[in-house]
Each structure stands twice: as structure tokens, then as C-alpha cells.
Amino acid sequence: MDNWDDLRYFQAVAEAGSLNGACKKLGVNHSTVFRRVKGLEEKLGVRLFERRDARYILTGAGEALLGRTGQVASAIDEVDRLIVGGDQALEGTIRITAPDGFAYYYLPPLIAEFGALYPGIEIQLLANSDDLNLSRLEADIALRVTSNPPEHLVGRKLWSMPWNLYGSPQFFSGSIGRFGIKQLASYPLLGPERNLLRLKPMQWLEKHVDKLNISARANTLMGMAALARSGIGLALLPADVAEGLQELGPTERRFESGIWLLTHPDLRSNARVRTFMQFLTERLMP
């Protein structure tokens, strides 16, 4: 094997299960991924995937290669982190990943302020509802909404974000207090899809879905908030995405999410990462 990139493309397809998923992960086009995987199969003289419609299913040879590829990728990622972690220059690039609400409302003015203080540092803001892998340097810093941050990352909790029920002003003239399932059943409600189903407040809604009137669904909190602003229904949301909506009150079960600022241990000595994390902590902590 004379090119690690071939293995990187193979690993991306194997993990995503499709060319489209690999394209999204790698930031390249469909034909590039297809060409690299096909070339790897030709070099090795084996089929690594079975193609079933748009799905790519690992063959036995593919499974064996993936196990080895993971070991190689981990070693390369570790070397990359050690190199980046030792960089003491206050210039270069920092990539920060954050949920949509923070990426749109909280971070832009802070990034502008930081840029004026450190013009040699370029901030790349990655708005993403998925958790990017800091071990693979998909991002350098993560602002995450979670109650249990990954143990392999380091950082601190900034504050707790409350969840409440929100709606457009057409529904109520003021807060009506705490909502139980019986009260919620009387109103059109917005439900979660896909990644949102991993969140505890959304799981609570889904547990009672047979008693509720779901008028529409969305796969992001920003999408749910947009639907709520259009008057389609009420939405259970964290406060960071509820701009322009009326807070109607908490649900009978109270929810809150911890806001964590995180990085990989190998990067905390990097001067850019350390400086930006300190800046964000000072600006975001209450």
C-alpha cells in the first residue's frame, strides 16, 4: 500500500455505508470517492464492498481491512494531534464545531471580537448537529450541549441551558404555567426526527406520542423553531434557538442541558486553541 489516502477513502465509505455519506464526511465529490475505492480494490485484487442499491456493504476482505485501517488511522491521528498540540504560534486556523443555535446566534459576534484581537488566527465555524470527531481532528474545539461529555475529551461546563415550551404569539397572550401531557394533547405539537431522537426531551415526547397531536416534524432544533415561528405548532426547545418565540412555560418534567467547551487532551497545549478556549470561557460563562 503506497497511499494512505486510499485507505482513508475506504474507511469513510465503510463507516458511512454509502458513497454519499463518505462524500459528505470527506468534502469531495461522488466520482472521486468511487474512483479511489475502485482503484484500491484493483490494487488489492479483491472486492471490498458488495453494492446493494446505494448501500456499500463490507465483504469479508473489507471487514479484515477495516480492522487494520482503524489501527493505522489511530496512529496517524495521534501523530497529527501531537504536531498540532505543540504549535505555539498565535496564527493559523482553529476549527470549532457547535450546534446550530450557538453557531448562528452566539458565536459570530465572539468570533469577530476574537479576530480583532488576534488577526493572525482564522476561525472556521462548523455548524453541525452531528458530533464531529476531535480525535481525528475533524475539529479542534467543540461547544456541545450534553449532560455527559466524552471522557476522552477535556474542558469545562460553562452553564446549564433550560428547555421550555415555545410557540408563536398567536397561541397565547402570556405564560400559562407548567404543561403536562394532558395539556399538550390539546395543541398542535412539533415532533423530532432522526438525530434529535437521541435527546432526552425528545425521547420524552416520543414516549407519549400516541397521546399527542403531532402537526409536523423536523430533524434539527433550528428547523423545529422555524416551524414554531410559522405557527404550525408548539415546540419543546432549549433557549438558545427560541429567538422570536414566546415562552409558554416548562413541561411537567423539567429538562436542561449542560453547555460544555471541549478539546482533545493533545491539543490543550496548542497556543491558538488554548487562547481561543480561554476567550470563549470568559465571554460565555455567566
Side-chain angles (χ1 to χ4, degrees):
M1 180 59 56
D2 57 2
N3 193 336
W4 157 243
D5 270 355
D6 289 339
L7 291 177
R8 187 165 62 93
Y9 281 88
F10 159 75
Q11 185 180 34
V13 175
E15 292 177 348
S18 68
L19 291 186
N20 287 338
C23 291
K24 181 179 178 182
K25 182 179 181 64
L26 296 170
V28 298
N29 60 42
H30 187 281
S31 62
T32 298
V33 178
F34 178 80
R35 184 177 68 253
R36 297 301 286 266
V37 171
K38 187 173 185 294
L40 178 59
E41 290 181 323
E42 291 173 351
K43 288 178 185 178
L44 298 178
V46 296
R47 293 193 65 179
L48 300 173
F49 296 100
E50 294 289 344
R51 282 75 165 178
R52 300 177 186 173
D53 297 324
R55 302 292 297 170
Y56 271 55
I57 311 298
L58 284 168
T59 62
E63 291 277 6
L65 180 60
L66 183 61
R68 294 294 185 182
T69 301
Q71 297 173 16
V72 174
S74 295
I76 292 175
D77 290 339
E78 183 177 1
V79 171
D80 287 343
R81 291 195 307 271
L82 290 174
I83 293 173
V84 174
D87 191 344
Q88 296 304 302
L90 287 174
E91 58 183 23
T93 301
I94 300 173
R95 291 164 297 174
I96 179 169
T97 177
D100 289 348
F102 285 94
Y104 296 144
Y105 299 129
Y106 283 73
L107 290 180
L110 296 181
I111 291 173
E113 182 183 352
F114 185 81
L117 294 173
Y118 300 94
I121 299 178
E122 174 189 302
I123 304 297
Q124 294 181 357
L125 177 58
L126 309 175
N128 207 312
S129 57
D130 298 325
D131 290 341
L132 298 185
N133 192 322
L134 271 63
S135 296
R136 294 184 182 174
L137 293 182
E138 293 177 352
D140 304 306
I141 298 171
L143 192 62
R144 288 190 178 162
V145 180
T146 179
S147 299
N148 298 293
E151 293 183 358
H152 67 281
L153 300 180
V154 295
R156 65 185 304 171
K157 183 179 178 180
L158 300 179
W159 80 88
S160 292
M161 177 75 70
W163 288 65
N164 288 297
L165 201 67
Y166 294 90
S168 63
Q170 71 188 61
F171 282 101
F172 304 99
S173 58
S175 174
I176 66 169
R178 186 172 297 188
F179 281 75
I181 293 298
K182 290 183 178 179
Q183 291 95 326
L184 286 176
S186 301
Y187 301 96
L189 196 67
L190 300 171
E193 271 290 337
R194 299 185 184 180
N195 286 347
L196 289 185
L197 292 169
R198 66 183 177 175
L199 303 177
K200 289 184 178 179
M202 301 294 103
Q203 292 171 359
W204 178 75
L205 284 180
E206 285 299 297
K207 179 180 178 182
H208 301 287
V209 68
D210 58 328
K211 302 174 184 177
L212 301 173
N213 174 23
I214 303 297
S215 57
R217 290 181 177 270
N219 68 337
T220 67
L221 294 173
M222 291 289 285
M224 291 182 70
L227 292 173
R229 290 188 195 98
S230 297
I232 295 174
L234 308 184
L236 181 58
L237 296 169
D240 65 306
V241 299
E243 183 174 335
L245 290 167
Q246 181 174 331
E247 181 180 326
L248 305 175
T251 56
E252 61 184 4
R253 180 176 173 185
R254 290 183 178 270
F255 296 100
E256 64 177 26
S257 299
I259 311 302
W260 287 78
L261 186 63
L262 302 165
T263 189
H264 193 280
D266 291 344
L267 300 185
R268 58 185 165 183
S269 296
N270 178 284
R272 297 187 303 278
V273 170
R274 185 176 65 250
T275 301
F276 191 42
M277 289 188 71
Q278 181 177 349
F279 172 84
L280 290 178
T281 299
E282 291 172 354
R283 296 299 188 276
L284 291 175
M285 283 196 73

mmCIF file with all atom_site columns, all heavy atoms in Angstrom, residues 239-263:
data_model
loop_
_atom_site.group_PDB
_atom_site.id
_atom_site.type_symbol
_atom_site.label_atom_id
_atom_site.label_alt_id
_atom_site.label_comp_id
_atom_site.label_asym_id
_atom_site.label_entity_id
_atom_site.label_seq_id
_atom_site.pdbx_PDB_ins_code
_atom_site.Cartn_x
_atom_site.Cartn_y
_atom_site.Cartn_z
_atom_site.occupancy
_atom_site.B_iso_or_equiv
_atom_site.pdbx_formal_charge
_atom_site.auth_seq_id
_atom_site.auth_comp_id
_atom_site.auth_asym_id
_atom_site.auth_atom_id
_atom_site.pdbx_PDB_model_num
ATOM 1   N N   . ALA A 1 239 ? -33.317 27.201 25.147 1.00 0.00 ? 239 ALA A N   1
ATOM 2   C CA  . ALA A 1 239 ? -33.490 28.647 24.997 1.00 0.00 ? 239 ALA A CA  1
ATOM 3   C C   . ALA A 1 239 ? -32.647 29.243 23.870 1.00 0.00 ? 239 ALA A C   1
ATOM 4   O O   . ALA A 1 239 ? -33.002 30.280 23.310 1.00 0.00 ? 239 ALA A O   1
ATOM 5   C CB  . ALA A 1 239 ? -33.136 29.339 26.318 1.00 0.00 ? 239 ALA A CB  1
ATOM 6   N N   . ASP A 1 240 ? -31.533 28.591 23.492 1.00 0.00 ? 240 ASP A N   1
ATOM 7   C CA  . ASP A 1 240 ? -30.614 29.213 22.528 1.00 0.00 ? 240 ASP A CA  1
ATOM 8   C C   . ASP A 1 240 ? -31.182 29.289 21.115 1.00 0.00 ? 240 ASP A C   1
ATOM 9   O O   . ASP A 1 240 ? -30.701 30.082 20.302 1.00 0.00 ? 240 ASP A O   1
ATOM 10  C CB  . ASP A 1 240 ? -29.272 28.479 22.512 1.00 0.00 ? 240 ASP A CB  1
ATOM 11  C CG  . ASP A 1 240 ? -29.382 27.055 21.999 1.00 0.00 ? 240 ASP A CG  1
ATOM 12  O OD1 . ASP A 1 240 ? -30.199 26.307 22.544 1.00 0.00 ? 240 ASP A OD1 1
ATOM 13  O OD2 . ASP A 1 240 ? -28.658 26.699 21.049 1.00 0.00 ? 240 ASP A OD2 1
ATOM 14  N N   . VAL A 1 241 ? -32.203 28.481 20.790 1.00 0.00 ? 241 VAL A N   1
ATOM 15  C CA  . VAL A 1 241 ? -32.755 28.513 19.429 1.00 0.00 ? 241 VAL A CA  1
ATOM 16  C C   . VAL A 1 241 ? -34.140 29.162 19.388 1.00 0.00 ? 241 VAL A C   1
ATOM 17  O O   . VAL A 1 241 ? -34.787 29.166 18.346 1.00 0.00 ? 241 VAL A O   1
ATOM 18  C CB  . VAL A 1 241 ? -32.838 27.096 18.817 1.00 0.00 ? 241 VAL A CB  1
ATOM 19  C CG1 . VAL A 1 241 ? -31.467 26.466 18.718 1.00 0.00 ? 241 VAL A CG1 1
ATOM 20  C CG2 . VAL A 1 241 ? -33.796 26.203 19.598 1.00 0.00 ? 241 VAL A CG2 1
ATOM 21  N N   . ALA A 1 242 ? -34.610 29.707 20.508 1.00 0.00 ? 242 ALA A N   1
ATOM 22  C CA  . ALA A 1 242 ? -36.003 30.144 20.616 1.00 0.00 ? 242 ALA A CA  1
ATOM 23  C C   . ALA A 1 242 ? -36.209 31.629 20.323 1.00 0.00 ? 242 ALA A C   1
ATOM 24  O O   . ALA A 1 242 ? -37.240 32.192 20.690 1.00 0.00 ? 242 ALA A O   1
ATOM 25  C CB  . ALA A 1 242 ? -36.537 29.820 22.012 1.00 0.00 ? 242 ALA A CB  1
ATOM 26  N N   . GLU A 1 243 ? -35.278 32.272 19.642 1.00 0.00 ? 243 GLU A N   1
ATOM 27  C CA  . GLU A 1 243 ? -35.422 33.694 19.335 1.00 0.00 ? 243 GLU A CA  1
ATOM 28  C C   . GLU A 1 243 ? -36.683 33.940 18.510 1.00 0.00 ? 243 GLU A C   1
ATOM 29  O O   . GLU A 1 243 ? -36.967 33.230 17.552 1.00 0.00 ? 243 GLU A O   1
ATOM 30  C CB  . GLU A 1 243 ? -34.195 34.183 18.554 1.00 0.00 ? 243 GLU A CB  1
ATOM 31  C CG  . GLU A 1 243 ? -34.223 35.668 18.261 1.00 0.00 ? 243 GLU A CG  1
ATOM 32  C CD  . GLU A 1 243 ? -32.938 36.161 17.611 1.00 0.00 ? 243 GLU A CD  1
ATOM 33  O OE1 . GLU A 1 243 ? -31.894 35.526 17.808 1.00 0.00 ? 243 GLU A OE1 1
ATOM 34  O OE2 . GLU A 1 243 ? -32.993 37.171 16.901 1.00 0.00 ? 243 GLU A OE2 1
ATOM 35  N N   . GLY A 1 244 ? -37.446 34.935 18.904 1.00 0.00 ? 244 GLY A N   1
ATOM 36  C CA  . GLY A 1 244 ? -38.672 35.272 18.194 1.00 0.00 ? 244 GLY A CA  1
ATOM 37  C C   . GLY A 1 244 ? -39.879 34.470 18.605 1.00 0.00 ? 244 GLY A C   1
ATOM 38  O O   . GLY A 1 244 ? -40.974 34.665 18.072 1.00 0.00 ? 244 GLY A O   1
ATOM 39  N N   . LEU A 1 245 ? -39.709 33.557 19.556 1.00 0.00 ? 245 LEU A N   1
ATOM 40  C CA  . LEU A 1 245 ? -40.814 32.727 20.033 1.00 0.00 ? 245 LEU A CA  1
ATOM 41  C C   . LEU A 1 245 ? -41.208 33.135 21.448 1.00 0.00 ? 245 LEU A C   1
ATOM 42  O O   . LEU A 1 245 ? -40.399 33.669 22.204 1.00 0.00 ? 245 LEU A O   1
ATOM 43  C CB  . LEU A 1 245 ? -40.426 31.250 20.012 1.00 0.00 ? 245 LEU A CB  1
ATOM 44  C CG  . LEU A 1 245 ? -40.271 30.623 18.634 1.00 0.00 ? 245 LEU A CG  1
ATOM 45  C CD1 . LEU A 1 245 ? -39.589 29.268 18.738 1.00 0.00 ? 245 LEU A CD1 1
ATOM 46  C CD2 . LEU A 1 245 ? -41.624 30.494 17.941 1.00 0.00 ? 245 LEU A CD2 1
ATOM 47  N N   . GLN A 1 246 ? -42.440 32.855 21.790 1.00 0.00 ? 246 GLN A N   1
ATOM 48  C CA  . GLN A 1 246 ? -42.937 33.162 23.126 1.00 0.00 ? 246 GLN A CA  1
ATOM 49  C C   . GLN A 1 246 ? -42.763 31.949 24.019 1.00 0.00 ? 246 GLN A C   1
ATOM 50  O O   . GLN A 1 246 ? -43.163 30.840 23.667 1.00 0.00 ? 246 GLN A O   1
ATOM 51  C CB  . GLN A 1 246 ? -44.411 33.554 23.060 1.00 0.00 ? 246 GLN A CB  1
ATOM 52  C CG  . GLN A 1 246 ? -44.997 33.922 24.420 1.00 0.00 ? 246 GLN A CG  1
ATOM 53  C CD  . GLN A 1 246 ? -46.419 34.436 24.282 1.00 0.00 ? 246 GLN A CD  1
ATOM 54  O OE1 . GLN A 1 246 ? -46.795 35.003 23.258 1.00 0.00 ? 246 GLN A OE1 1
ATOM 55  N NE2 . GLN A 1 246 ? -47.214 34.224 25.308 1.00 0.00 ? 246 GLN A NE2 1
ATOM 56  N N   . GLU A 1 247 ? -42.165 32.173 25.176 1.00 0.00 ? 247 GLU A N   1
ATOM 57  C CA  . GLU A 1 247 ? -42.015 31.089 26.143 1.00 0.00 ? 247 GLU A CA  1
ATOM 58  C C   . GLU A 1 247 ? -43.353 30.867 26.836 1.00 0.00 ? 247 GLU A C   1
ATOM 59  O O   . GLU A 1 247 ? -43.921 31.775 27.440 1.00 0.00 ? 247 GLU A O   1
ATOM 60  C CB  . GLU A 1 247 ? -40.939 31.443 27.170 1.00 0.00 ? 247 GLU A CB  1
ATOM 61  C CG  . GLU A 1 247 ? -40.712 30.337 28.194 1.00 0.00 ? 247 GLU A CG  1
ATOM 62  C CD  . GLU A 1 247 ? -39.650 30.708 29.208 1.00 0.00 ? 247 GLU A CD  1
ATOM 63  O OE1 . GLU A 1 247 ? -38.688 31.422 28.827 1.00 0.00 ? 247 GLU A OE1 1
ATOM 64  O OE2 . GLU A 1 247 ? -39.789 30.302 30.375 1.00 0.00 ? 247 GLU A OE2 1
ATOM 65  N N   . LEU A 1 248 ? -43.831 29.629 26.741 1.00 0.00 ? 248 LEU A N   1
ATOM 66  C CA  . LEU A 1 248 ? -45.153 29.324 27.276 1.00 0.00 ? 248 LEU A CA  1
ATOM 67  C C   . LEU A 1 248 ? -45.087 28.665 28.644 1.00 0.00 ? 248 LEU A C   1
ATOM 68  O O   . LEU A 1 248 ? -46.087 28.587 29.337 1.00 0.00 ? 248 LEU A O   1
ATOM 69  C CB  . LEU A 1 248 ? -45.905 28.420 26.295 1.00 0.00 ? 248 LEU A CB  1
ATOM 70  C CG  . LEU A 1 248 ? -46.005 28.976 24.871 1.00 0.00 ? 248 LEU A CG  1
ATOM 71  C CD1 . LEU A 1 248 ? -46.645 27.972 23.947 1.00 0.00 ? 248 LEU A CD1 1
ATOM 72  C CD2 . LEU A 1 248 ? -46.786 30.282 24.879 1.00 0.00 ? 248 LEU A CD2 1
ATOM 73  N N   . GLY A 1 249 ? -43.911 28.175 29.021 1.00 0.00 ? 249 GLY A N   1
ATOM 74  C CA  . GLY A 1 249 ? -43.764 27.535 30.321 1.00 0.00 ? 249 GLY A CA  1
ATOM 75  C C   . GLY A 1 249 ? -43.044 26.214 30.201 1.00 0.00 ? 249 GLY A C   1
ATOM 76  O O   . GLY A 1 249 ? -42.875 25.675 29.105 1.00 0.00 ? 249 GLY A O   1
ATOM 77  N N   . PRO A 1 250 ? -42.603 25.646 31.313 1.00 0.00 ? 250 PRO A N   1
ATOM 78  C CA  . PRO A 1 250 ? -41.924 24.347 31.301 1.00 0.00 ? 250 PRO A CA  1
ATOM 79  C C   . PRO A 1 250 ? -42.919 23.201 31.190 1.00 0.00 ? 250 PRO A C   1
ATOM 80  O O   . PRO A 1 250 ? -44.113 23.363 31.430 1.00 0.00 ? 250 PRO A O   1
ATOM 81  C CB  . PRO A 1 250 ? -41.218 24.318 32.655 1.00 0.00 ? 250 PRO A CB  1
ATOM 82  C CG  . PRO A 1 250 ? -42.116 25.125 33.543 1.00 0.00 ? 250 PRO A CG  1
ATOM 83  C CD  . PRO A 1 250 ? -42.676 26.220 32.668 1.00 0.00 ? 250 PRO A CD  1
ATOM 84  N N   . THR A 1 251 ? -42.420 22.042 30.804 1.00 0.00 ? 251 THR A N   1
ATOM 85  C CA  . THR A 1 251 ? -43.240 20.831 30.816 1.00 0.00 ? 251 THR A CA  1
ATOM 86  C C   . THR A 1 251 ? -43.237 20.257 32.226 1.00 0.00 ? 251 THR A C   1
ATOM 87  O O   . THR A 1 251 ? -42.455 20.666 33.080 1.00 0.00 ? 251 THR A O   1
ATOM 88  C CB  . THR A 1 251 ? -42.696 19.797 29.823 1.00 0.00 ? 251 THR A CB  1
ATOM 89  O OG1 . THR A 1 251 ? -41.320 19.528 30.127 1.00 0.00 ? 251 THR A OG1 1
ATOM 90  C CG2 . THR A 1 251 ? -42.795 20.327 28.398 1.00 0.00 ? 251 THR A CG2 1
ATOM 91  N N   . GLU A 1 252 ? -44.108 19.273 32.457 1.00 0.00 ? 252 GLU A N   1
ATOM 92  C CA  . GLU A 1 252 ? -44.210 18.691 33.799 1.00 0.00 ? 252 GLU A CA  1
ATOM 93  C C   . GLU A 1 252 ? -42.910 18.016 34.217 1.00 0.00 ? 252 GLU A C   1
ATOM 94  O O   . GLU A 1 252 ? -42.611 17.909 35.405 1.00 0.00 ? 252 GLU A O   1
ATOM 95  C CB  . GLU A 1 252 ? -45.354 17.678 33.835 1.00 0.00 ? 252 GLU A CB  1
ATOM 96  C CG  . GLU A 1 252 ? -45.187 16.504 32.886 1.00 0.00 ? 252 GLU A CG  1
ATOM 97  C CD  . GLU A 1 252 ? -46.394 15.584 32.902 1.00 0.00 ? 252 GLU A CD  1
ATOM 98  O OE1 . GLU A 1 252 ? -47.360 15.923 33.592 1.00 0.00 ? 252 GLU A OE1 1
ATOM 99  O OE2 . GLU A 1 252 ? -46.361 14.540 32.228 1.00 0.00 ? 252 GLU A OE2 1
ATOM 100 N N   . ARG A 1 253 ? -42.138 17.568 33.231 1.00 0.00 ? 253 ARG A N   1
ATOM 101 C CA  . ARG A 1 253 ? -40.802 17.073 33.525 1.00 0.00 ? 253 ARG A CA  1
ATOM 102 C C   . ARG A 1 253 ? -39.808 18.117 33.044 1.00 0.00 ? 253 ARG A C   1
ATOM 103 O O   . ARG A 1 253 ? -39.766 18.450 31.878 1.00 0.00 ? 253 ARG A O   1
ATOM 104 C CB  . ARG A 1 253 ? -40.538 15.735 32.828 1.00 0.00 ? 253 ARG A CB  1
ATOM 105 C CG  . ARG A 1 253 ? -39.153 15.190 33.122 1.00 0.00 ? 253 ARG A CG  1
ATOM 106 C CD  . ARG A 1 253 ? -38.917 13.837 32.520 1.00 0.00 ? 253 ARG A CD  1
ATOM 107 N NE  . ARG A 1 253 ? -37.541 13.444 32.681 1.00 0.00 ? 253 ARG A NE  1
ATOM 108 C CZ  . ARG A 1 253 ? -37.013 12.345 32.160 1.00 0.00 ? 253 ARG A CZ  1
ATOM 109 N NH1 . ARG A 1 253 ? -37.773 11.524 31.439 1.00 0.00 ? 253 ARG A NH1 1
ATOM 110 N NH2 . ARG A 1 253 ? -35.745 12.042 32.343 1.00 0.00 ? 253 ARG A NH2 1
ATOM 111 N N   . ARG A 1 254 ? -39.023 18.649 33.967 1.00 0.00 ? 254 ARG A N   1
ATOM 112 C CA  . ARG A 1 254 ? -38.090 19.720 33.623 1.00 0.00 ? 254 ARG A CA  1
ATOM 113 C C   . ARG A 1 254 ? -36.816 19.149 32.991 1.00 0.00 ? 254 ARG A C   1
ATOM 114 O O   . ARG A 1 254 ? -36.294 18.130 33.444 1.00 0.00 ? 254 ARG A O   1
ATOM 115 C CB  . ARG A 1 254 ? -37.725 20.519 34.869 1.00 0.00 ? 254 ARG A CB  1
ATOM 116 C CG  . ARG A 1 254 ? -38.889 21.357 35.390 1.00 0.00 ? 254 ARG A CG  1
ATOM 117 C CD  . ARG A 1 254 ? -38.455 22.195 36.578 1.00 0.00 ? 254 ARG A CD  1
ATOM 118 N NE  . ARG A 1 254 ? -39.544 23.040 37.049 1.00 0.00 ? 254 ARG A NE  1
ATOM 119 C CZ  . ARG A 1 254 ? -39.777 24.263 36.611 1.00 0.00 ? 254 ARG A CZ  1
ATOM 120 N NH1 . ARG A 1 254 ? -39.011 24.780 35.677 1.00 0.00 ? 254 ARG A NH1 1
ATOM 121 N NH2 . ARG A 1 254 ? -40.771 24.983 37.098 1.00 0.00 ? 254 ARG A NH2 1
ATOM 122 N N   . PHE A 1 255 ? -36.347 19.823 31.954 1.00 0.00 ? 255 PHE A N   1
ATOM 123 C CA  . PHE A 1 255 ? -35.137 19.400 31.264 1.00 0.00 ? 255 PHE A CA  1
ATOM 124 C C   . PHE A 1 255 ? -34.153 20.556 31.203 1.00 0.00 ? 255 PHE A C   1
ATOM 125 O O   . PHE A 1 255 ? -34.539 21.717 31.109 1.00 0.00 ? 255 PHE A O   1
ATOM 126 C CB  . PHE A 1 255 ? -35.446 18.958 29.828 1.00 0.00 ? 255 PHE A CB  1
ATOM 127 C CG  . PHE A 1 255 ? -36.326 17.747 29.731 1.00 0.00 ? 255 PHE A CG  1
ATOM 128 C CD1 . PHE A 1 255 ? -37.686 17.882 29.477 1.00 0.00 ? 255 PHE A CD1 1
ATOM 129 C CD2 . PHE A 1 255 ? -35.802 16.474 29.897 1.00 0.00 ? 255 PHE A CD2 1
ATOM 130 C CE1 . PHE A 1 255 ? -38.509 16.773 29.383 1.00 0.00 ? 255 PHE A CE1 1
ATOM 131 C CE2 . PHE A 1 255 ? -36.614 15.359 29.807 1.00 0.00 ? 255 PHE A CE2 1
ATOM 132 C CZ  . PHE A 1 255 ? -37.968 15.506 29.547 1.00 0.00 ? 255 PHE A CZ  1
ATOM 133 N N   . GLU A 1 256 ? -32.878 20.210 31.252 1.00 0.00 ? 256 GLU A N   1
ATOM 134 C CA  . GLU A 1 256 ? -31.827 21.170 30.989 1.00 0.00 ? 256 GLU A CA  1
ATOM 135 C C   . GLU A 1 256 ? -30.629 20.426 30.421 1.00 0.00 ? 256 GLU A C   1
ATOM 136 O O   . GLU A 1 256 ? -30.478 19.210 30.624 1.00 0.00 ? 256 GLU A O   1
ATOM 137 C CB  . GLU A 1 256 ? -31.425 21.952 32.246 1.00 0.00 ? 256 GLU A CB  1
ATOM 138 C CG  . GLU A 1 256 ? -30.824 21.101 33.349 1.00 0.00 ? 256 GLU A CG  1
ATOM 139 C CD  . GLU A 1 256 ? -30.389 21.942 34.544 1.00 0.00 ? 256 GLU A CD  1
ATOM 140 O OE1 . GLU A 1 256 ? -30.946 23.028 34.745 1.00 0.00 ? 256 GLU A OE1 1
ATOM 141 O OE2 . GLU A 1 256 ? -29.457 21.516 35.257 1.00 0.00 ? 256 GLU A OE2 1
ATOM 142 N N   . SER A 1 257 ? -29.811 21.140 29.683 1.00 0.00 ? 257 SER A N   1
ATOM 143 C CA  . SER A 1 257 ? -28.632 20.540 29.063 1.00 0.00 ? 257 SER A CA  1
ATOM 144 C C   . SER A 1 257 ? -27.396 21.316 29.471 1.00 0.00 ? 257 SER A C   1
ATOM 145 O O   . SER A 1 257 ? -27.409 22.550 29.495 1.00 0.00 ? 257 SER A O   1
ATOM 146 C CB  . SER A 1 257 ? -28.755 20.564 27.533 1.00 0.00 ? 257 SER A CB  1
ATOM 147 O OG  . SER A 1 257 ? -29.871 19.823 27.095 1.00 0.00 ? 257 SER A OG  1
ATOM 148 N N   . GLY A 1 258 ? -26.345 20.602 29.794 1.00 0.00 ? 258 GLY A N   1
ATOM 149 C CA  . GLY A 1 258 ? -25.082 21.247 30.107 1.00 0.00 ? 258 GLY A CA  1
ATOM 150 C C   . GLY A 1 258 ? -24.414 21.759 28.841 1.00 0.00 ? 258 GLY A C   1
ATOM 151 O O   . GLY A 1 258 ? -24.450 21.096 27.804 1.00 0.00 ? 258 GLY A O   1
ATOM 152 N N   . ILE A 1 259 ? -23.819 22.935 28.904 1.00 0.00 ? 259 ILE A N   1
ATOM 153 C CA  . ILE A 1 259 ? -23.081 23.514 27.785 1.00 0.00 ? 259 ILE A CA  1
ATOM 154 C C   . ILE A 1 259 ? -21.600 23.359 28.098 1.00 0.00 ? 259 ILE A C   1
ATOM 155 O O   . ILE A 1 259 ? -21.086 23.949 29.044 1.00 0.00 ? 259 ILE A O   1
ATOM 156 C CB  . ILE A 1 259 ? -23.421 25.007 27.582 1.00 0.00 ? 259 ILE A CB  1
ATOM 157 C CG1 . ILE A 1 259 ? -24.933 25.220 27.576 1.00 0.00 ? 259 ILE A CG1 1
ATOM 158 C CG2 . ILE A 1 259 ? -22.773 25.520 26.306 1.00 0.00 ? 259 ILE A CG2 1
ATOM 159 C CD1 . ILE A 1 259 ? -25.674 24.425 26.523 1.00 0.00 ? 259 ILE A CD1 1
ATOM 160 N N   . TRP A 1 260 ? -20.905 22.552 27.293 1.00 0.00 ? 260 TRP A N   1
ATOM 161 C CA  . TRP A 1 260 ? -19.504 22.220 27.538 1.00 0.00 ? 260 TRP A CA  1
ATOM 162 C C   . TRP A 1 260 ? -18.614 22.757 26.426 1.00 0.00 ? 260 TRP A C   1
ATOM 163 O O   . TRP A 1 260 ? -18.968 22.685 25.243 1.00 0.00 ? 260 TRP A O   1
ATOM 164 C CB  . TRP A 1 260 ? -19.329 20.711 27.624 1.00 0.00 ? 260 TRP A CB  1
ATOM 165 C CG  . TRP A 1 260 ? -19.868 20.111 28.896 1.00 0.00 ? 260 TRP A CG  1
ATOM 166 C CD1 . TRP A 1 260 ? -21.169 19.838 29.204 1.00 0.00 ? 260 TRP A CD1 1
ATOM 167 C CD2 . TRP A 1 260 ? -19.105 19.718 30.038 1.00 0.00 ? 260 TRP A CD2 1
ATOM 168 N NE1 . TRP A 1 260 ? -21.268 19.296 30.454 1.00 0.00 ? 260 TRP A NE1 1
ATOM 169 C CE2 . TRP A 1 260 ? -20.019 19.203 30.993 1.00 0.00 ? 260 TRP A CE2 1
ATOM 170 C CE3 . TRP A 1 260 ? -17.743 19.737 30.349 1.00 0.00 ? 260 TRP A CE3 1
ATOM 171 C CZ2 . TRP A 1 260 ? -19.601 18.713 32.231 1.00 0.00 ? 260 TRP A CZ2 1
ATOM 172 C CZ3 . TRP A 1 260 ? -17.320 19.246 31.583 1.00 0.00 ? 260 TRP A CZ3 1
ATOM 173 C CH2 . TRP A 1 260 ? -18.257 18.749 32.509 1.00 0.00 ? 260 TRP A CH2 1
ATOM 174 N N   . LEU A 1 261 ? -17.457 23.263 26.816 1.00 0.00 ? 261 LEU A N   1
ATOM 175 C CA  . LEU A 1 261 ? -16.420 23.674 25.872 1.00 0.00 ? 261 LEU A CA  1
ATOM 176 C C   . LEU A 1 261 ? -15.298 22.645 25.974 1.00 0.00 ? 261 LEU A C   1
ATOM 177 O O   . LEU A 1 261 ? -14.691 22.484 27.041 1.00 0.00 ? 261 LEU A O   1
ATOM 178 C CB  . LEU A 1 261 ? -15.904 25.066 26.229 1.00 0.00 ? 261 LEU A CB  1
ATOM 179 C CG  . LEU A 1 261 ? -14.912 25.707 25.251 1.00 0.00 ? 261 LEU A CG  1
ATOM 180 C CD1 . LEU A 1 261 ? -15.572 25.932 23.889 1.00 0.00 ? 261 LEU A CD1 1
ATOM 181 C CD2 . LEU A 1 261 ? -14.394 27.017 25.821 1.00 0.00 ? 261 LEU A CD2 1
ATOM 182 N N   . LEU A 1 262 ? -15.012 21.948 24.870 1.00 0.00 ? 262 LEU A N   1
ATOM 183 C CA  . LEU A 1 262 ? -14.160 20.764 24.917 1.00 0.00 ? 262 LEU A CA  1
ATOM 184 C C   . LEU A 1 262 ? -13.081 20.788 23.840 1.00 0.00 ? 262 LEU A C   1
ATOM 185 O O   . LEU A 1 262 ? -13.248 21.407 22.784 1.00 0.00 ? 262 LEU A O   1
ATOM 186 C CB  . LEU A 1 262 ? -15.014 19.501 24.727 1.00 0.00 ? 262 LEU A CB  1
ATOM 187 C CG  . LEU A 1 262 ? -16.144 19.279 25.734 1.00 0.00 ? 262 LEU A CG  1
ATOM 188 C CD1 . LEU A 1 262 ? -17.102 18.218 25.221 1.00 0.00 ? 262 LEU A CD1 1
ATOM 189 C CD2 . LEU A 1 262 ? -15.573 18.879 27.090 1.00 0.00 ? 262 LEU A CD2 1
ATOM 190 N N   . THR A 1 263 ? -11.989 20.084 24.110 1.00 0.00 ? 263 THR A N   1
ATOM 191 C CA  . THR A 1 263 ? -10.962 19.829 23.115 1.00 0.00 ? 263 THR A CA  1
ATOM 192 C C   . THR A 1 263 ? -10.311 18.491 23.440 1.00 0.00 ? 263 THR A C   1
ATOM 193 O O   . THR A 1 263 ? -10.624 17.863 24.459 1.00 0.00 ? 263 THR A O   1
ATOM 194 C CB  . THR A 1 263 ? -9.909  20.960 23.084 1.00 0.00 ? 263 THR A CB  1
ATOM 195 O OG1 . THR A 1 263 ? -9.053  20.771 21.952 1.00 0.00 ? 263 THR A OG1 1
ATOM 196 C CG2 . THR A 1 263 ? -9.060  20.955 24.355 1.00 0.00 ? 263 THR A CG2 1
#
